[in-house]
């Protein structure tokens, strides 16, 4: 099957239940306690940056981007969750969704993107591992899976600190609260 057989399109409200089912299947029912979900607390996906892959009318993939603040100072996007139906994996669908999202994010003037995920996969679209201690997250996370991509050259220069959703960024977490979550994309 070539990647011509699926199409990439903007997410529609009618896709929501299919996307939730796909995310449950891909990440498990306990996905909402993962650290990456703490980064989405109180936020909505960024308008114009939620895409799906369809085979005919069947939704086979999803990607979204969320707003972030680093050290309460720098804005960034959070990429994820990214998920493809198991039967449609390995055909370039995940890469195609990311390329569409990153290209559109760049057109919309966004400068940097952060994610929690497998470097060997995301390096295919230009993500690199954050240096030790550069970005800290509000929960336990494997530092090897904290990645970023600059959409503007130099956009990550000097950027470091606690990464949070804008809402939480203004209501800093209480000490000790972070322990309740798990690492995950
Ligand atoms: C990760 C995921 C989105 C990849 O989607 P996909 O459409 O199958 O991927 P693509 O077809 O774009 O890319 C396939 C290539 O990436 C590789 N790849 C896929 N997942 C990978 C991973 N987690 N780490 C390293 N390489 C990976 C495949 O081996 C394949 O390599 P090849 O081209 O050399 O054969 C999909 O496997 C998925 O939904 N997984 C479950 C949810 C998940 O874990 N998402 C986030 C990962 S951090």
């Amino acid at each position: 099957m070539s990647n011509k057989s699926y199409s990439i399109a903007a997410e529609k409200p009618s896709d929501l239940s299919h996307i939730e089912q796909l995310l449950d299947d891909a990440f498990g029912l306990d996905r909402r306690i993962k650290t990456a979900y703490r980064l989405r607390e109180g936020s909505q996906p960024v308008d114009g940056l939620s895409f799906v892959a369809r085979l005919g009318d069947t939704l086979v993939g999803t990607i979204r981007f969320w707003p972030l603040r680093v050290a309460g100072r720098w804005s960034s996007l959070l990429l994820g969750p990214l998920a493809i139906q198991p039967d449609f994996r390995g055909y370039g669908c995940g890469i195609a969704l990311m390329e569409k999202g990153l290209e559109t994010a760049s057109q919309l003037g966004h400068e940097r993107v952060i994610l929690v995920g497998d470097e060997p996969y995301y390096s295919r679209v230009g993500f690199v591992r954050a240096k030790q201690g550069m970005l800290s997250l509000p929960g336990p996370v494997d530092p090897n899976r904290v990645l970023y991509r600059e959409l503007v050259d130099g956009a990550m220069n000097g950027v470091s600190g606690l990464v949070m959703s804008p809402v939480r960024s203004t209501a800093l977490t209480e000490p000790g609260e972070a322990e309740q979550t798990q690492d995950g994309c």
Side-chain angles (χ1 to χ4, degrees):
M1 176 171 30
S2 75
N3 63 3
K4 290 188 188 59
S5 60
Y6 61 76
S7 61
I8 305 283
E11 180 186 310
K12 298 188 293 189
S14 57
D15 292 325
L16 205 56
S17 60
H18 301 291
I19 290 171
E20 291 304 314
Q21 186 59 56
L22 173 52
L23 295 177
D24 283 347
D25 297 345
F27 295 106
L29 297 178
D30 68 346
R31 60 190 167 89
R32 289 178 183 78
I33 62 172
K34 295 178 186 286
T35 298
Y37 278 76
R38 295 294 305 270
L39 294 173
R40 299 175 193 134
E41 272 173 2
S43 296
Q44 293 300 319
V46 175
D47 273 347
L49 286 180
S50 296
F51 298 98
V52 295
R54 285 184 223 284
L55 191 73
D57 293 336
T58 309
L59 188 142
V60 296
T62 174
I63 193 170
R64 290 169 169 168
F65 292 77
W66 304 72
L68 282 180
R69 304 288 289 169
V70 180
R73 203 171 141 194
W74 295 280
S75 63
S76 176
L77 292 172
L78 171 70
L79 185 159
L82 168 68
I84 308 296
Q85 292 278 11
D87 298 350
F88 297 102
R89 292 177 186 168
Y91 297 109
C93 207
I95 299 284
L97 278 169
M98 285 198 283
E99 287 174 343
K100 176 67 180 174
L102 293 168
E103 182 197 317
T104 310
S106 187
Q107 288 162 355
L108 293 173
H110 294 280
E111 299 188 351
R112 51 189 80 85
V113 184
I114 293 168
L115 69 82
V116 180
D118 301 337
E119 187 193 12
Y121 181 63
Y122 291 101
S123 59
R124 292 162 179 256
V125 290
F127 281 86
V128 296
R129 195 182 302 172
K131 294 186 186 61
Q132 198 74 25
M134 178 180 172
L135 301 174
S136 49
L137 274 60
V141 69
D142 172 354
N144 298 319
R145 303 183 80 244
V146 179
L147 315 179
Y148 67 81
R149 159 128 183 225
E150 295 179 327
L151 299 177
V152 172
D153 287 348
M156 286 299 284
N157 291 354
V159 173
S160 69
L162 184 58
V163 181
M164 288 185 143
S165 67
V167 171
R168 288 189 68 83
S169 182
T170 52
L172 290 180
T173 52
E174 300 303 313
E177 190 174 322
E179 277 66 55
Q180 293 152 7
T181 62
Q182 293 176 351
D183 174 17
C185 19

